[in-house]
Amino acid sequence: MSELSDRARRRARGAARRARDRYHASRAVEARLHALEEEAQEARQLQRRVAELTDVVTELLIPIHLRDDARVEDVLERYRSRL
């Protein structure tokens, strides 16, 4: 009987250890997921900023090419007001 209960205890400890390891692994995955979500949000913000700057440059190139100084000032003023 003692051998059976020792074997049962060992199996129970092993099961408990595996459950604990799985729990810690899932917590690590959750932490990594959270970090990736934050990085993705930062990338979206940077991409939006690049798109805005591209729009400003495009808006500036056409009036500069046409020598429309009033339009250039208008575009720059709108850009500055968004900062």
Side-chain angles (χ1 to χ4, degrees), residues 34-74:
H34 181 70
L36 289 171
E37 288 171 342
E38 287 180 349
E39 290 174 17
Q41 180 61 29
E42 181 181 353
R44 284 190 289 271
Q45 290 172 343
L46 290 172
Q47 181 62 33
R48 184 173 184 186
R49 183 74 175 136
V50 167
E52 289 172 354
L53 289 172
T54 302
D55 290 346
V56 168
V57 168
T58 302
E59 287 183 51
L60 283 172
L61 289 177
I62 293 171
I64 288 174
H65 174 72
L66 300 173
R67 303 282 188 235
D68 187 351
D69 293 334
R71 176 85 173 114
V72 170
E73 285 302 317
D74 180 51

Side-chain angles (χ1 to χ4, degrees), residues 27-37 39:
R27 297 295 291 180
V29 169
E30 287 176 10
R32 181 64 180 138
L33 178 61
H34 181 70
L36 289 171
E37 288 171 342
E39 290 174 17

